[in-house]
Amino acid sequence: MNSDKLLNYIYSENIHQKKRLQPFFSSNSNVKKDLELFLEMYNPYMKSENISIEQLADAYLLMLRQVLHARLSFVRTGKYQVKSFDEAYDMVYNDANVMKQYMLGLALSQFLWEHHYKVFNFFSQQLTSISNNANVLEIGSGHGLFLVELLEKVSLLKNCDVVDISETSLEMTKNIYKTLNLDKKHNVNFVLNDVNDYKSQYLYDFIVMGEVLEHVEHPGKILDKLYTLLEDNGEVYISTCSNCPAIDHITYFKDIEDIRLLVEESEFIIKEECIAPSESMSMDKLQKYKVDIVYAAILKKGKK
């Protein structure tokens, strides 16, 4: 099995991952199966890009080292290393090799990190609310898995637009979309643009914006923009995180209340939320030790 090959390689390179991942797989019988399905799904794209299982694992291991380095700096200073979007753009988004490796590692983390796995499943469950002939927008396609999940779960869309500021990320998502033959079922419009400058001729019934708010200097500005792009009865899926340093994270949310307050200031209403800590601790301990927590929510329009 591809999953065994992948995991054995990761374990041989990082014994700490074996100690962390084996209990996760043992406690959840679906994870190993979902990992195998992901690798089968990803295989056509990997073949088209000449990416081996070992290279996918190496991208994940590199991301682990990057996260550890960022975490050590965060513990020491109490701040994220990246100070501006321009800095993140130059170091990550506009560097094709760095961005591609980063996205490959993050894609794999959806099935190797328990908190990412929980949030990915939360997202998948929300897709049942999207009606046929809906207008859908994704902002920040990243590794492409959320778009693939959406296109496979929703049988018919009126319009589907994907906006990303990284050409590498956009091309990666587009290639996955094509190698899976999803272009035969759905017509997706890929746009290289800053969402703040993005203009649409129609409003959207469902907007996806995963892991974007922590990457920008003014997250409230993007939420305000989403409000103008959303139908009155539409919904927005967002995810972000608190206490989660990374090579491209800028805005620091110290806790979940920080995120909720930002949402409320933009006049959105939280319909449903998912809180996924990276460690099994009480909320008090999570805050005391500044443990990273992923937060996801479905938002609806309030009344401005």
Side-chain angles (χ1 to χ4, degrees), residues 15-114:
I15 188 64
H16 298 292
Q17 280 295 290
K18 185 174 184 178
K19 293 177 180 177
R20 188 173 184 87
L21 292 176
Q22 283 189 335
F24 173 41
F25 286 118
S26 297
S27 63
N28 192 324
S29 59
N30 290 325
V31 180
K32 187 76 175 291
K33 179 183 69 175
D34 288 342
L35 174 61
E36 187 68 33
L37 289 173
F38 157 69
L39 293 172
E40 289 177 8
M41 179 273 291
Y42 227 47
N43 188 54
Y45 165 73
M46 290 171 61
K47 280 187 175 180
S48 73
E49 296 286 319
N50 295 313
I51 300 169
S52 67
I53 288 287
E54 291 80 8
Q55 288 171 320
L56 179 64
D58 282 334
Y60 171 74
L61 292 167
L62 172 61
M63 186 190 67
L64 288 180
R65 295 192 293 272
Q66 291 169 334
V67 168
L68 177 59
H69 180 76
R71 167 63 57 180
L72 291 174
S73 175
F74 174 63
V75 170
R76 185 174 64 253
T77 66
K79 299 177 181 178
Y80 289 172
Q81 290 178 298
V82 183
K83 301 297 187 293
S84 69
F85 179 81
D86 287 343
E87 185 180 348
Y89 183 81
D90 290 340
M91 290 193 311
V92 183
Y93 311 136
N94 200 37
D95 187 314
N97 183 59
V98 171
M99 186 64 177
K100 186 173 182 179
Q101 293 299 308
Y102 190 28
M103 290 301 100
L104 288 172
L106 277 175
L108 192 50
S109 78
Q110 306 304 309
F111 305 94
L112 297 185
W113 292 4
E114 187 170 3

Side-chain angles (χ1 to χ4, degrees), residues 281-291 293:
M281 297 179 180
S282 68
M283 192 57 71
D284 287 343
K285 285 188 175 181
L286 290 169
Q287 286 303 121
K288 179 180 179 181
Y289 298 113
K290 294 185 176 180
V291 176
I293 303 174

Side-chain angles (χ1 to χ4, degrees), residues 169-181:
S169 176
L170 208 62
E171 285 302 312
M172 183 176 182
T173 303
K174 190 186 298 184
N175 289 345
I176 293 169
Y177 160 75
K178 289 181 178 178
T179 56
L180 293 179
N181 294 316

